[in-house]
């Protein structure tokens, strides 16, 4: 079996963090010839210089149409680049599209050599989107806590409640209405704003 | 409300996604029992790939794209059909201010006339070649697009040498920026991406699709063939919703509301004044120029939503012309079968709207508006046709292909 390091891999991803995660994964897997491009300006020349065997690109990139066209006009990159993995491998294509990654493969490269690269890219893409989602959730959590604090403040001021009692009232209301505490808190803050009550810090 | 059908449609941020947007926003889809989800995409390749893997049931698609899919011309493609068109016209050809100034020196006028603009461009290209300058670089949105074929048709018919203009691919929303940055000298794109350059002062609209080929096809509803076969009722309901959306979009009284929907962040996310020129036909050409093109974008009239097999076959002749595929009777049959007027007719019959009696027509045969044979209400087609007087008879494909090849070698 040929050493995996003999494949030249080009990663095109405007998201630098995700690109570095993929690059790290490829290097861990023994691929040494990995090039990462963030910006597609002048890409035809770069492809000609790098002469990649495999190109991995994210589906968010609006320049996919341009890239595909370059492969069709092989004279633009001076090499015969053609295929999207293996057309017959529907499951692998679906997983790639689900994850948001696309791979273009130099003509004549055997599928078994490319599959591990695409599989790795898919799992790294999935890991990245999970990470991004968790970050989003954490951010939302922080926002919610702020809203709940403001709602508690409003209740404490307008109803003369202790902080504990204010929170208990929010929780009870949320349970009765089968909604989230943060939703109840947000409604209260909005309503207070509309009614012009003073809840400025 | 519990919808009978769940349909997910991909779309690109372009004015001619209007029928899908109106079908959802005005409620035509809902009235047909459809919960319609619209997903904005960033590239035509994504539209094709996500339709192929079943993320989308249907999509806003470049009219040649289902044909290219079925001919196996694209990296990832599955059987795709076009049971409906999403309007006629809608594109424009825009050039940089520098190219326009050079064209004006050779007699181009801001009247969108394709002949004088083409003659002027030919002179500019010859001048550059004489100086040993780089060829002009024009952009289109995809190799299998009406934009690519109509730009090449126009250039060739005007005698612009093939080597004088390089044609590259740029996504629609990036066109005006690429022009301003000097990466390209001109482009052919759907609205509002020419108006964007004209209003911001970075380019001039030289001519329009409606002048190069009147009443010409642009986008279609692409549907996964497997999904369409398994869900004929859902597809028929969607075609009815889209047809009713087309009636709504064609009504001048609704243009302000339509522009406001399209400009919202969920769809194009661009100012309303970018949408209005294409809807009204009052085209802002750049500078202070303004020109009325009444049939700039046609959502309903002239059977604008009917998937003519002659349209599919014309695109096929252009794929052959520009060496994307070799001509054979088998390929021709695949192109013809990609468009499905049969599905269109059976879905829309209950609406009692005009349905063309024929599946194909001779393109360029009607110089004036002409009533034609139809079922339901009466139907008026034309004027149509190519600016150079060319006629495309779908029964004479071989001779059309032969003629265009000989025309090409002479350029």
């Amino acid at each position: 079996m040929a050493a995996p390091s003999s494949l030249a891999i080009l990663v095109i991803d405007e998201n630098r963090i995700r690109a570095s995660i993929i690059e790290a994964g490829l290097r861990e897997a023994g691929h040494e010839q990995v090039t990462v491009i963030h910006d597609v300006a002048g890409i035809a020349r770069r492809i000609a210089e790098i002469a990649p065997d495999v190109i991995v690109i994210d589906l968010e990139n609006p320049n996919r149409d341009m890239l595909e066209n370059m492969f069709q006009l092989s004279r633009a990159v001076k090499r015969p680049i053609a295929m999207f993995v293996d057309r017959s491998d529907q499951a692998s294509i679906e997983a790639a599209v689900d994850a948001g990654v696309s791979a273009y493969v130099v003509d004549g490269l055997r599928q078994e050599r490319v599959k591990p690269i695409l599989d790795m890219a898919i799992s790294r893409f999935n890991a990245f989107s999970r990470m991004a989602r968790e970050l989003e959730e954490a951010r939302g959590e922080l926002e919610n806590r702020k809203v709940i604090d403001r709602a508690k403040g409003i209740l404490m001021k307008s109803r003369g409640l202790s902080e504990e009692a204010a929170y208990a009232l929010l929780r009870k209301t949320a349970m009765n209405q089968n909604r989230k505490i943060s939703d109840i808190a947000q409604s209260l803050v909005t309503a207070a704003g509309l009614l012009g009550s003073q809840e400025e810090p | 409300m519990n919808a009978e059908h769940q349909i997910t449609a991909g779309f690109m941020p372009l004015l001619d996604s209007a029928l899908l947007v109106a079908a959802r926003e005005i409620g035509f889809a809902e009235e047909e029992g459809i919960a319609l989800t619209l997903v904005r995409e960033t590239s035509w390749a994504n539209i094709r790939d996500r339709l192929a893997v079943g993320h989308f049931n249907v999509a806003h698609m470049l009219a040649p794209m289902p044909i290219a899919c079925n001919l196996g011309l694209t990296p990832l493609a599955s059987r795709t059909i076009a049971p409906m068109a999403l309007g006629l016209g809608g594109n424009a050809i825009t050039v940089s201010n520098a190219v326009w100034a050079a064209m004006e020196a050779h007699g181009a006028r801001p009247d969108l006339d394709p002949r004088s603009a083409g003659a002027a461009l030919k002179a500019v290209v010859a001048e550059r070649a004489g100086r040993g300058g780089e060829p002009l670089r024009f952009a289109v949105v995809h190799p299998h697009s009406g934009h690519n074929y109509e730009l090449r048709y126009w250039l060739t018919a005007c005698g612009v040498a093939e080597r004088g203009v390089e044609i590259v691919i740029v996504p629609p929303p990036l066109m005006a920026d690429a022009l301003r940055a000097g990466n390209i000298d001109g482009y052919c794109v759907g609205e509002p991406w020419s108006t964007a350059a004209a209003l911001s002062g970075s380019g001039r609209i030289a001519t329009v699709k409606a002048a190069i080929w009147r009443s010409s096809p642009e986008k279609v509803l692409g549907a996964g063939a497997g999904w369409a076969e398994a869900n004929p009722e859902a597809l028929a309901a969607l075609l009815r919703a889209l047809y009713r959306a087309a009636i709504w979009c064609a009504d001048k009284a609704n243009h302000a509301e339509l522009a406001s929907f399209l400009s919202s962040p969920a769809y194009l996310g661009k100012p309303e004044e970018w949408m209005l020129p294409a809807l009204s036909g009052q085209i802002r050409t750049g500078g202070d120029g303004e020109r009325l093109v009444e049939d700039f974008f046609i959502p309903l009239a002239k059977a604008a939503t009917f998937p003519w097999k002659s349209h599919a076959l014309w695109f096929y002749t252009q794929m052959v012309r520009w060496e994307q595929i070799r001509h054979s009777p088998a390929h021709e049959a695949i192109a013809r079968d990609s468009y499905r007027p049969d599905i269109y007719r059976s879905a829309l019959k209950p609406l009692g709207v005009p349905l063309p009696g024929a599946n194909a027509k001779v393109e360029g045969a009607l110089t004036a508006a002409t009533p034609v044979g139809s079922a339901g209400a009466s139907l008026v087609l034309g004027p149509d046709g190519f600016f150079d007087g060319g006629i495309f008879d779908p029964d004479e494909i071989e001779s059309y292909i032969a003629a265009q090849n000989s025309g090409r070698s002479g350029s």
Side-chain angles (χ1 to χ4, degrees):
Chain A
M1 184 186 149
S5 57
S6 62
L7 287 181
I9 305 170
L10 172 62
V11 177
I12 303 171
D13 198 333
E14 282 167 356
N15 187 318
R16 284 168 189 274
I17 298 171
R18 189 170 55 202
S20 64
I21 292 174
I22 294 174
E23 187 185 6
L26 287 167
R27 290 192 187 281
E28 273 168 33
H31 295 286
E32 280 156 19
Q33 297 182 63
V34 182
T35 311
V36 178
I37 297 186
H38 304 292
D39 184 1
V40 295
I43 198 170
R45 205 178 53 247
R46 291 300 307 279
I47 290 180
E49 287 165 10
I50 298 162
D53 300 297
V54 183
I55 298 177
V56 176
I57 184 171
D58 66 290
L59 291 194
E60 285 156 31
N61 197 313
N63 288 298
R64 277 192 69 210
D65 291 326
M66 181 194 81
L67 196 66
E68 284 192 3
N69 185 50
M70 281 169 41
F71 298 159
Q72 287 182 357
L73 308 169
S74 56
R75 63 176 181 268
V77 287
K78 307 271 189 288
R79 352 193 16 196
I81 298 179
M83 286 288 291
F84 183 108
V85 277
D86 184 331
R87 257 188 239 192
S88 59
D89 186 0
Q90 189 68 19
S92 159
I93 290 170
E94 281 182 26
V97 174
D98 275 333
V101 62
S102 183
Y104 296 94
V105 176
V106 174
D107 219 4
L109 197 60
R110 289 208 314 281
Q111 196 207 347
E112 59 267 29
R113 297 197 60 198
V114 177
K115 184 103 170 49
I117 297 175
L118 185 65
D119 287 347
M120 198 285 303
I122 291 170
S123 75
R124 293 276 162 150
F125 261 74
N126 283 332
F128 175 81
S129 60
R130 205 157 45 236
M131 201 174 77
R133 203 165 51 237
E134 277 160 15
L135 196 67
E136 195 53 46
E137 277 165 12
R139 232 181 249 144
E141 198 58 41
L142 196 67
E143 270 314 300
N144 288 345
R145 224 174 297 156
K146 278 191 203 154
V147 172
I148 292 170
D149 281 346
R150 286 174 70 189
K152 276 194 298 194
I154 294 169
L155 287 177
M156 285 156 71
K157 205 166 172 180
S158 62
R159 310 243 329 232
L161 296 174
S162 70
E163 184 174 351
E164 216 171 302
Y167 186 73
L169 181 58
L170 282 174
R171 197 180 52 198
K172 194 174 141 217
T173 311
M175 278 166 67
N176 288 346
Q177 299 191 11
N178 197 20
R179 291 163 68 194
K180 288 187 195 156
I181 292 187
S182 58
D183 288 349
I184 298 292
Q186 184 61 59
S187 317
L188 185 60
V189 170
T190 307
L194 285 172
L195 296 170
S197 43
Q198 299 299 309
E199 55 109 12
E200 292 307 308
Chain B
M1 161 176 172
N2 263 343
E4 204 177 327
H5 312 293
Q6 309 281 333
I7 298 181
T8 301
F11 74 98
M12 285 287 278
L14 289 159
L15 183 111
D16 51 24
S17 65
L19 270 55
L20 282 160
V21 170
R24 181 183 154 78
E25 295 294 332
I26 309 298
F28 300 115
E30 198 181 342
E31 285 165 26
E32 292 287 346
I34 301 166
L36 180 62
T37 307
L38 298 182
V39 181
R40 181 167 62 192
E41 264 306 338
T42 51
S43 73
W44 290 110
N46 281 10
I47 293 251
R48 178 199 63 216
D49 292 352
R50 298 190 67 185
L51 190 70
V53 303
H55 284 189
F56 301 152
N57 309 119
V58 297
H60 175 221
M61 247 188 182
L62 296 162
M65 215 171 195
I67 304 164
C69 284
N70 295 337
L71 287 170
L73 295 182
T74 53
L76 173 57
S78 63
R79 279 191 315 128
T80 306
I81 59 167
M84 188 175 202
L86 297 176
L88 300 172
N91 300 343
I93 294 175
T94 301
V95 297
S96 68
N97 294 324
V99 170
W100 179 252
M103 285 169 67
E104 265 187 324
H106 288 284
R109 297 180 306 272
D111 58 4
L112 305 177
D113 172 41
R115 280 177 188 280
S116 57
L121 186 66
K122 182 186 180 185
V124 172
V125 165
E127 209 172 65
R128 280 175 85 100
R131 281 202 317 266
E134 291 271 297
L136 289 176
R137 183 181 294 163
F138 276 67
V140 297
V141 304
H142 194 273
H144 307 125
S145 65
H147 316 73
N148 187 25
Y149 305 134
E150 69 212 25
L151 176 67
R152 287 171 190 267
Y153 187 96
W154 175 61
L155 292 173
T156 311
C158 293
V160 176
E162 215 186 314
R163 265 178 246 99
V165 176
E166 182 192 359
I167 296 179
V168 299
I169 305 295
V170 172
L174 304 186
M175 289 283 191
D177 290 342
L179 190 74
R180 191 184 301 116
N183 295 336
I184 51 176
D185 300 296
Y187 57 80
C188 180
V189 76
E191 278 293 273
W193 304 107
S194 284
T195 294
L199 291 184
S200 65
S202 49
R204 303 289 289 248
I205 299 181
T207 189
V208 297
K209 177 184 177 79
I212 294 171
W213 178 9
R214 289 190 85 164
S215 307
S216 60
E218 181 45 40
K219 301 296 183 320
V220 294
L221 182 78
W227 177 83
E229 280 154 20
N231 301 277
E233 283 168 19
L235 181 60
L238 180 66
L239 299 193
R240 285 191 293 272
L242 288 171
Y243 191 91
R244 294 171 64 205
I247 297 174
W248 188 87
C249 288
D251 187 343
K252 279 195 182 74
N254 298 325
H255 285 174
E257 197 179 352
L258 178 57
S260 129
F261 282 132
L262 288 168
S263 67
S264 74
Y267 301 114
L268 274 75
K270 294 294 169 194
E272 286 171 37
E273 54 267 32
W274 287 22
M275 314 297 158
L276 292 167
L279 293 176
S280 63
Q282 200 71 39
I283 302 304
R284 305 278 299 274
T285 57
D288 296 327
E290 199 169 306
R291 179 95 187 169
L292 180 67
V293 184
E294 283 185 357
D295 53 1
F296 183 88
F297 171 61
I298 310 173
L300 177 73
K302 305 182 188 182
T305 56
F306 189 77
W308 293 98
K309 286 186 182 271
S310 42
H311 287 166
L313 289 167
W314 187 79
F315 287 129
Y316 168 72
T317 65
Q318 301 307 293
M319 290 175 183
V320 173
R321 179 181 202 178
W322 303 111
E323 295 174 352
Q324 293 172 335
I325 195 155
R326 268 204 338 273
H327 171 58
S328 75
H331 289 159
E332 184 186 327
I334 289 172
R336 185 185 291 111
D337 294 343
S338 300
Y339 278 33
R340 296 295 300 275
D342 55 326
I343 296 178
Y344 179 97
R345 272 198 205 91
S346 69
L348 297 190
K349 206 167 181 189
L351 295 185
V353 299
L355 299 170
N359 282 340
K361 58 192 166 89
V362 177
E363 301 292 336
L366 302 176
T367 53
T370 311
V372 298
S374 65
S378 69
L379 177 67
V380 176
L381 294 180
D384 64 6
F386 300 88
F387 79 101
D388 62 347
I391 300 256
F392 172 62
D393 182 343
D395 291 336
E396 303 288 341
I397 289 234
E398 306 267 351
S399 61
Y400 191 80
I401 288 174
Q404 67 189 12
N405 283 343
S406 64
R408 188 179 172 202
S409 60
S411 68

